[in-house]
Amino acid sequence: DMVSGKVDFVPGVLGREEKSWESHFVSPDGRQIAFLGNDGYVVLIDPHNKQSTGFLKLNGSVRSVSFTADGKHLLASGSDGDITRQVFLRR
């Protein structure tokens, strides 16, 4: 929580072996956080319940991700030079 300065420790993401989740990007609406994982994975987390909501797998390692301004798409670029677009279905 950046306003209060409170930090929540989350021990890990179920099913993932990463020890550190330092590279991340927050969607404009704050409903998703995209973490850059190992082996070409982008792991999506709901910041409110701290649970995984999905993932995106690239062929190479992940270099960068960005959400569109409306938060409906996630663009990811990898070491293979491709740009992948993930569309979110909102409820």
Side-chain angles (χ1 to χ4, degrees):
D1 183 349
M2 294 189 64
V3 174
S4 68
K6 180 182 174 201
V7 176
D8 290 334
F9 175 74
V10 178
V13 176
L14 187 63
R16 302 295 307 160
E17 297 180 6
E18 285 85 353
K19 302 288 184 207
S20 176
W21 294 95
E22 296 168 2
S23 297
H24 61 278
F25 299 85
V26 180
S27 66
D29 60 7
R31 294 173 59 183
Q32 297 278 342
I33 302 174
F35 286 92
L36 307 189
N38 296 335
D39 303 321
Y41 280 92
V42 177
V43 181
L44 300 168
I45 302 291
D46 180 323
H48 301 291
N49 64 20
K50 300 171 184 66
Q51 298 294 314
S52 175
T53 59
F55 66 89
L56 175 65
K57 172 72 170 99
L58 302 182
N59 290 330
S61 61
V62 183
R63 298 287 189 223
S64 183
V65 300
S66 180
F67 288 92
T68 57
D70 61 7
K72 293 183 181 179
H73 302 263
L74 175 72
L75 304 172
S77 64
S79 60
D80 61 358
D82 290 339
I83 297 176
T84 303
R85 180 180 67 164
Q86 175 72 38
V87 179
F88 298 112
L89 300 175
R90 304 274 184 178
R91 293 182 220 187

